Amino acid sequence: MADPKPRVKVPGTAKAGEVITIKTLIDHKMESGFRKDKKGELIPQQIINKFTAEFNGKPVFSADIRPAVSANPYFQFTVKVAESGTFKFTWVDDNGSSYTDEKTIKVEG
Amino acid sequence: MATRQTTSLPVRLAAVAGLAAACFATIAFAGGPNDNKLIIDGKEYVTELPGPEGSPLKTIYSGWRFRNESTQAMQLDDFDNPGYPNVDTGEQLWSKVDGEAGKSCASCHNDASESMKGVRAQMPKWNDKAGKPMTLEQTINACREGNLKAKPWDWESGEMLGMSAFIGSKSRGMPVNVKTDGPMKEWMEKGKKIYYTPVGQLDMSCAGCHEKNYGKMIRADHLSQGHINGFPLYRSKWQKLGSTHRRFKGCMQNIRAKPYEVGGDEFVALELYTASRGQGLSVETPAVRN
Amino acid sequence: MHMTRRQALGLGAGAAALIVAGPVLTPAIAAGPTADEALKAFTGGAEAKAAKVTLSTPEIAENGNTVPVSFSVESPMTSDNHVTEVMLLADGNPRPGVATFRFSDMSGEASASTRIRLAKTQNIVAVAKMSDGSFYMDKKLVKVTIGGCGG
């Protein structure tokens, strides 16, 4: 399979100073490290351990994540936007990979 | 269900009797379906209808109506729906060249929003070449093998679930509309027989729960009518998308029966008959359940 | 996870095993700090007052694998007065840590939603750290129903 697919909702436009809501999802099994396979062996933990959101290069929101976060991790949060720009979202996997997505927003007046 | 040989037969039988008794003893009234409306992107989905022709039920309800509000909420926005990243995966695969013919799905079927509209609503569908009805998964694999000259996908693989969810999503909101006449009649009869025949150590049938006791609690679960209009769907218990046949298999294991083969004629017939009991309900693929 | 329950049934516990649903997670591998210890580490021993934080959880979760949780913290969210971090704990999980969220003066609001795994009925705790070093919290009980006959 290809890399996990991020799925992000950011409004395309907003007014200056508006507080916008962002929703993010990524498909990831979030293997907890507590489950056993059919032979009774523990399946090693493999989760998304960190999520970050940056706006125009500045960190605006992040989460340190433990195995207690559900599969296909979901985060909803807010950002107050003052200018047009680009959001960059990053998910860091226990296996060393990271997955990113970007969205632009146009801020008026 | 492979290894469970730790106790003697009489002890196990006694345990089974206790299990069956407990299952029925804890069936209690829970008020039936709730009255919430399923509206996604401003479009209202049909989750309640008078029972279709031949239905033993006066009113049919989508399984969504039996879930509590926190489960229901996850289906109200495609950016909340945990099954939707897999739809995106399916969309990617749609135009990805695969197999010796050097083609992708899109090479023949172009824009899935047009060509796949309504396809999921009619599944399982009669296939002349095969001489039997085929499910969406079987149709996808027949296309892969016959036209793309590509390897078939495993039934429950990420690729198959992504593709069947993607194709299914193109029928979202359309009424379930399976053909039940002509050559399908024999398969309907076969499916109906499976639906009503008690099986397994608990001696239970599909109808025992989903026709006679829907709306009640069976232990901690609120029983639905068992419609399949949302499949493949994201299930919290599975923590991923799963197929109709996976659900059938799990149900059979819980009544301690030997499940039929995934993709086998019995489950295809059962899928057809079960789909027919939900004729007219909106396709919800990919739905979200507990 | 369902292996645990099946094994419990297979051992002949019968009806009793059904009513008392078996543990979802294996307790033998539970290790690390308790919820109280994690809370203390986060606050540095300072008191977290039960105010300003509103935690929203379902009263009953249909399945412990996907429990929606959201919180919001009263704060002007300006550069000199904002919420810096919110830690979520689940006191009945084998490891109580769930996630720690970091906010900034660009957050607008100190609120977020996520979905979490709960091994059984337990309390969820949200603790907010403010930019002046004070702490506030809220706590909610979530009842988790697991192990129906739902294949």
Side-chain angles (χ1 to χ4, degrees):
Chain A
M1 280 301 279
D3 275 352
K5 282 288 288 177
R7 186 170 174 82
V8 179
K9 187 187 203 176
V10 175
T13 58
K15 290 202 171 67
E18 192 179 333
V19 178
I20 59 160
T21 297
I22 293 176
K23 292 181 178 185
T24 69
L25 263 175
I26 189 164
D27 75 286
H28 197 285
K29 64 189 169 198
M30 295 291 283
E31 190 61 61
S32 67
F34 288 92
R35 295 199 315 155
K36 289 177 176 175
D37 63 17
K38 281 178 184 160
K39 289 179 195 151
E41 309 276 331
L42 271 185
I43 305 169
Q45 173 183 314
Q46 194 202 333
I47 63 166
I48 297 287
N49 58 55
K50 195 170 178 64
F51 167 74
T52 59
E54 291 168 37
F55 184 60
N56 291 342
K58 277 168 70 182
V60 289
F61 176 84
S62 71
D64 292 337
I65 307 163
R66 304 294 165 81
V69 168
S70 303
N72 290 11
Y74 170 85
F75 298 107
Q76 182 186 317
F77 54 96
T78 59
V79 179
K80 191 173 180 177
V81 285
E83 54 182 355
S84 298
T86 305
F87 282 100
K88 185 181 181 191
F89 306 96
T90 308
W91 292 259
V92 181
D93 194 309
D94 274 346
N95 72 5
S97 309
S98 62
Y99 319 111
T100 59
D101 197 9
E102 292 192 3
K103 297 277 177 210
T104 56
I105 185 167
K106 203 176 159 203
V107 173
E108 292 148 351
Chain B
M1 300 299 279
T3 52
R4 209 194 308 112
Q5 304 299 334
T6 46
T7 43
S8 67
L9 188 63
V11 172
R12 279 169 56 216
L13 287 179
V16 165
L19 175 58
C23 253
F24 288 115
T26 51
I27 286 179
F29 191 65
N34 57 38
D35 290 331
N36 296 332
K37 285 188 171 14
L38 175 55
I39 300 171
I40 308 170
D41 283 335
K43 184 186 161 70
E44 186 172 346
Y45 286 64
V46 176
T47 60
E48 177 177 344
L49 273 177
E53 203 191 317
S55 172
L57 301 168
K58 207 170 137 198
T59 311
I60 59 171
Y61 302 96
S62 161
W64 185 83
R65 294 278 296 277
F66 293 87
R67 305 285 44 99
N68 76 13
E69 286 189 6
S70 58
T71 305
Q72 287 183 330
M74 285 191 267
Q75 206 182 312
L76 298 179
D77 182 340
D78 297 346
F79 289 88
D80 288 337
N81 185 328
Y84 242 87
N86 302 88
V87 172
D88 295 340
T89 303
E91 184 170 18
Q92 255 181 354
L93 292 169
W94 179 261
S95 48
K96 191 180 158 197
V97 173
D98 193 9
E100 285 164 27
K103 291 193 281 193
S104 70
C105 306
S107 309
C108 299
H109 299 291
N110 305 309
D111 180 3
S113 300
E114 289 301 320
S115 61
M116 293 296 120
K117 203 173 171 178
V119 168
R120 160 68 179 85
Q122 301 170 45
M123 291 290 170
K125 194 178 176 184
W126 182 259
N127 185 294
D128 267 335
K129 208 169 142 194
K132 52 164 97 173
M134 277 166 62
T135 68
L136 183 53
E137 294 87 350
Q138 290 168 329
T139 310
I140 291 167
N141 268 344
C143 216
R144 286 180 60 77
E145 289 184 278
N147 300 323
L148 302 188
K149 309 286 177 214
K151 274 194 197 150
W153 284 323
D154 286 342
W155 198 275
E156 217 63 37
S157 65
E159 289 90 346
M160 180 58 90
L161 291 166
M163 183 58 75
S164 55
F166 171 66
I167 293 175
S169 72
K170 301 302 177 193
S171 299
R172 225 162 39 137
M174 297 174 74
V176 170
N177 184 22
V178 288
K179 282 242 162 46
T180 55
D181 54 0
M184 293 294 250
K185 228 171 164 174
E186 186 192 326
W187 288 77
M188 280 286 289
E189 286 306 316
K190 188 181 168 78
K192 186 175 180 178
K193 195 175 163 200
I194 294 170
Y195 196 91
Y196 283 98
T197 306
V199 290
Q201 288 178 313
L202 300 190
D203 202 31
M204 290 162 85
S205 69
C206 307
C209 285
H210 298 291
E211 180 178 311
K212 299 190 178 73
N213 283 298
Y214 71 86
K216 297 177 186 170
M217 298 298 286
I218 184 158
R219 299 177 54 211
D221 267 337
H222 195 194
L223 280 172
S224 76
Q225 292 180 339
H227 296 300
I228 56 173
N229 51 312
F231 282 89
L233 55 74
Y234 189 93
R235 207 167 163 231
S236 291
K237 179 176 175 176
W238 297 335
Q239 307 190 56
K240 66 194 290 277
L241 283 184
S243 69
T244 308
H245 290 199
R246 179 176 182 186
R247 192 67 183 84
F248 287 163
K249 188 179 161 188
C251 249
M252 291 192 77
Q253 284 171 337
N254 280 342
I255 56 171
R256 311 193 111 193
K258 185 173 185 292
Y260 297 114
E261 190 195 339
V262 167
D265 286 354
E266 291 86 357
F267 273 171
V268 173
L270 185 60
E271 182 176 335
L272 171 68
Y273 176 69
T274 309
S276 79
R277 292 174 66 104
Q279 296 273 40
L281 290 174
S282 297
V283 172
E284 294 175 24
T285 310
V288 184
R289 302 287 187 262
N290 55 316
Chain C
M1 281 192 208
H2 40 234
M3 284 305 289
T4 312
R5 184 166 60 86
R6 275 193 213 148
Q7 283 160 353
L9 297 180
L11 287 169
L18 267 170
I19 292 155
V20 185
V24 172
L25 300 171
T26 311
I29 46 175
T34 63
D36 281 347
E37 286 162 358
L39 178 62
K40 223 170 173 182
F42 184 68
T43 62
E47 188 203 354
K49 290 186 207 100
K52 295 198 181 186
V53 182
T54 306
L55 180 62
S56 307
T57 58
E59 194 185 332
I60 297 174
E62 281 187 304
N63 187 295
N65 284 336
T66 319
V67 183
V69 170
S70 58
F71 62 83
S72 69
V73 188
E74 276 174 48
S75 164
M77 294 306 276
T78 56
S79 54
D80 54 0
N81 184 2
H82 61 273
V83 177
T84 57
E85 290 179 45
V86 173
M87 182 171 70
L88 277 185
L89 293 169
D91 71 3
N93 273 357
R95 279 191 233 145
V98 175
T100 303
F101 303 92
R102 273 185 208 90
F103 296 90
S104 69
D105 56 359
M106 286 169 71
S107 293
E109 292 169 13
S111 66
S113 303
T114 187
R115 295 170 187 155
I116 68 174
R117 290 167 168 158
L118 298 178
K120 58 180 181 182
T121 295
Q122 58 186 290
N123 288 307
I124 311 302
V125 182
V127 195
K129 182 182 184 178
M130 318 302 263
S131 52
D132 67 0
S134 60
F135 293 89
Y136 295 90
M137 62 167 284
D138 191 15
K139 188 155 105 174
K140 285 271 156 66
L141 178 73
V142 180
K143 291 175 190 156
V144 178
T145 60
I146 44 171
C149 285

